[in-house]
Coordinates of all heavy atoms in Angstrom, one line a residue:
G14 N 1.9 3.8 -2.1 CA 2.2 3.3 -3.4 C 1.4 2.1 -3.8 O 2.0 1.1 -4.3
S16 N -1.3 1.7 -5.8 CA -2.1 1.7 -7.0 C -1.7 0.7 -8.0 O -2.4 0.4 -9.0 CB -2.1 3.1 -7.7 OG -0.8 3.4 -8.1
S17 N -0.5 0.1 -7.8 CA 0.0 -0.9 -8.8 C 1.1 -1.8 -8.2 O 1.5 -1.5 -7.0 CB 0.5 -0.3 -10.1 OG 1.8 0.2 -9.9
G18 N 1.5 -2.8 -8.9 CA 2.7 -3.6 -8.5 C 2.7 -4.2 -7.2 O 1.6 -4.7 -6.7
I19 N 3.8 -4.1 -6.5 CA 3.9 -4.7 -5.2 C 2.9 -4.2 -4.2 O 2.3 -4.9 -3.4 CB 5.4 -4.5 -4.6 CG1 6.4 -5.3 -5.6 CG2 5.6 -5.0 -3.2 CD1 7.9 -4.9 -5.4
N37 N -2.9 4.3 -1.4 CA -2.3 5.6 -1.7 C -1.5 5.5 -3.1 O -0.9 4.5 -3.4 CB -1.3 6.0 -0.6 CG -0.2 6.9 -1.0 OD1 0.9 6.5 -1.2 ND2 -0.6 8.2 -1.1
A39 N 0.6 8.8 -5.7 CA 0.8 10.3 -6.0 C 0.1 10.7 -7.2 O -0.6 11.8 -7.2 CB 2.3 10.6 -6.0
R40 N 0.3 10.0 -8.3 CA -0.3 10.5 -9.6 C -1.4 9.6 -10.1 O -2.4 10.1 -10.6 CB 0.9 10.5 -10.7 CG 1.9 11.6 -10.4 CD 3.3 11.2 -11.1 NE 3.9 10.1 -10.4 CZ 4.8 10.2 -9.4 NH1 5.2 11.4 -9.1 NH2 5.3 9.2 -8.8
S41 N -1.3 8.3 -10.0 CA -2.3 7.4 -10.6 C -3.5 7.3 -9.7 O -3.8 6.2 -9.2 CB -1.6 6.0 -10.8 OG -1.0 5.6 -9.6
G60 N -1.7 11.4 -2.7 CA -0.7 12.3 -2.2 C 0.7 11.7 -2.4 O 1.0 10.5 -2.3
D61 N 1.6 12.7 -2.7 CA 3.0 12.3 -2.8 C 3.6 12.2 -1.4 O 3.5 13.2 -0.6 CB 3.7 13.5 -3.5 CG 5.2 13.3 -3.7 OD1 5.8 12.6 -2.9 OD2 5.8 13.9 -4.6
I62 N 4.2 11.1 -1.0 CA 4.6 10.8 0.4 C 5.7 11.8 0.8 O 5.9 12.0 2.0 CB 5.0 9.4 0.6 CG1 6.1 9.0 -0.3 CG2 3.9 8.4 0.6 CD1 6.9 7.7 0.2
N88 N 5.9 1.3 0.9 CA 6.2 0.7 -0.4 C 6.5 1.7 -1.5 O 7.3 1.4 -2.4 CB 5.0 -0.2 -0.8 CG 5.1 -0.6 -2.2 OD1 5.9 -1.5 -2.6 ND2 4.4 0.0 -3.1
A89 N 5.9 2.9 -1.4 CA 6.0 3.9 -2.5 C 7.5 4.1 -2.8 O 8.3 4.3 -1.8 CB 5.3 5.2 -2.2
G90 N 7.9 4.1 -4.0 CA 9.3 4.4 -4.3 C 9.5 4.7 -5.8 O 8.6 4.5 -6.6
T114 N 11.4 10.9 -2.1 CA 10.4 9.9 -2.0 C 10.8 8.8 -1.2 O 10.2 8.4 -0.1 CB 10.0 9.4 -3.4 OG1 9.4 10.5 -4.2 CG2 9.0 8.3 -3.3
I141 N 9.5 -1.5 2.2 CA 10.0 -2.3 1.0 C 11.3 -1.6 0.5 O 11.2 -0.5 0.0 CB 8.9 -2.3 -0.1 CG1 7.5 -2.8 0.4 CG2 9.3 -3.1 -1.3 CD1 7.5 -4.2 0.9
T142 N 12.4 -2.4 0.6 CA 13.6 -1.8 0.2 C 14.1 -2.6 -1.1 O 13.2 -2.7 -2.0 CB 14.7 -1.9 1.3 OG1 14.9 -3.2 1.7 CG2 14.2 -1.0 2.5
S143 N 15.3 -3.1 -1.2 CA 15.7 -3.7 -2.4 C 17.0 -4.5 -2.2 O 17.9 -4.0 -1.5 CB 15.9 -2.6 -3.5 OG 16.3 -3.2 -4.7
H156 N 18.6 5.3 -6.5 CA 17.7 4.3 -6.0 C 18.4 3.3 -5.1 O 18.0 3.0 -4.0 CB 17.0 3.6 -7.2 CG 16.1 2.5 -6.7 ND1 16.5 1.2 -6.6 CD2 14.8 2.5 -6.3 CE1 15.4 0.5 -6.1 NE2 14.4 1.3 -6.0
K160 N 17.8 2.9 -1.0 CA 17.3 1.7 -0.3 C 18.3 1.2 0.8 O 17.8 0.6 1.8 CB 17.1 0.6 -1.4 CG 16.0 0.9 -2.4 CD 14.6 1.1 -1.7 CE 13.5 1.3 -2.6 NZ 12.2 1.3 -2.0
G186 N 14.3 -8.8 -5.0 CA 15.2 -8.7 -6.2 C 14.4 -8.1 -7.3 O 13.8 -7.1 -7.1
V188 N 11.3 -7.9 -9.6 CA 9.9 -8.2 -9.5 C 9.2 -7.8 -10.8 O 9.4 -6.7 -11.3 CB 9.2 -7.5 -8.3 CG1 7.8 -8.1 -8.1 CG2 10.1 -7.7 -7.1
T190 N 6.6 -6.0 -12.4 CA 5.6 -5.0 -12.1 C 5.7 -4.0 -13.3 O 6.6 -4.1 -14.1 CB 5.9 -4.2 -10.8 OG1 7.1 -3.4 -11.1 CG2 6.2 -5.1 -9.6
P191 N 4.8 -3.0 -13.3 CA 4.9 -2.0 -14.4 C 6.2 -1.3 -14.4 O 6.7 -1.0 -15.5 CB 3.8 -1.0 -14.0 CG 2.7 -1.8 -13.3 CD 3.5 -2.9 -12.5
W192 N 6.9 -1.2 -13.3 CA 8.2 -0.6 -13.2 C 9.2 -1.3 -14.1 O 10.1 -0.7 -14.7 CB 8.6 -0.6 -11.7 CG 10.0 -0.1 -11.3 CD1 11.2 -0.3 -11.9 CD2 10.3 0.7 -10.1 NE1 12.2 0.3 -11.2 CE2 11.6 0.9 -10.1 CE3 9.5 1.2 -9.1 CZ2 12.3 1.6 -9.1 CZ3 10.1 1.9 -8.1 CH2 11.5 2.1 -8.1
T193 N 9.1 -2.6 -14.1 CA 10.1 -3.4 -14.8 C 9.6 -4.0 -16.1 O 10.2 -4.9 -16.7 CB 10.6 -4.6 -13.9 OG1 9.5 -5.4 -13.6 CG2 11.3 -4.1 -12.6
Ligands
NAP301 N1 9.9 -4.0 -9.3 C1 11.1 -4.4 -8.8 O1 11.8 -5.2 -9.4 C2 11.5 -3.9 -7.5 C3 12.7 -4.4 -6.9 C4 13.1 -4.0 -5.7 C5 12.4 -3.0 -4.9 N2 11.3 -2.5 -5.5 C6 10.5 -1.5 -4.7 O2 9.2 -1.8 -4.6 C7 8.4 -0.7 -4.5 C8 7.2 -0.8 -5.5 O3 7.7 -0.9 -6.8 P1 6.9 -1.6 -8.0 O4 7.8 -2.3 -8.8 O5 5.7 -2.2 -7.4 O6 6.5 -0.2 -8.8 P2 5.2 0.3 -9.5 O7 4.3 -0.7 -10.0 O8 5.7 1.4 -10.4 O9 4.5 1.0 -8.2 C9 5.0 2.1 -7.6 C10 3.9 2.7 -6.7 O10 4.4 3.7 -5.9 C11 3.6 4.9 -6.2 N3 4.5 6.1 -5.9 C12 5.6 6.4 -6.5 N4 6.1 7.6 -6.0 C13 5.2 7.9 -5.0 C14 5.2 9.0 -4.1 N5 6.1 10.0 -4.1 N6 4.1 9.1 -3.3 C15 3.2 8.1 -3.3 N7 3.2 7.1 -4.1 C16 4.2 7.0 -5.0 C17 3.2 4.7 -7.6 O11 2.0 5.5 -7.9 P3 2.2 6.9 -8.7 O12 3.4 6.8 -9.6 O13 0.9 7.1 -9.5 O14 2.3 7.9 -7.7 C18 2.8 3.3 -7.5 O15 1.5 3.1 -6.8 C19 9.4 0.5 -4.8 O16 9.7 1.1 -3.5 C20 10.6 -0.1 -5.4 O17 11.8 0.5 -5.1 C21 10.8 -2.9 -6.7

Side-chain angles (χ1 to χ4, degrees):
S16 65
S17 80
I19 294 167
N37 155 259
R40 291 156 291 266
S41 52
D61 178 337
I62 58 162
N88 166 76
T114 295
I141 304 299
T142 63
S143 179
H156 178 265
K160 294 298 183 174
V188 190
T190 70
W192 177 315
T193 59

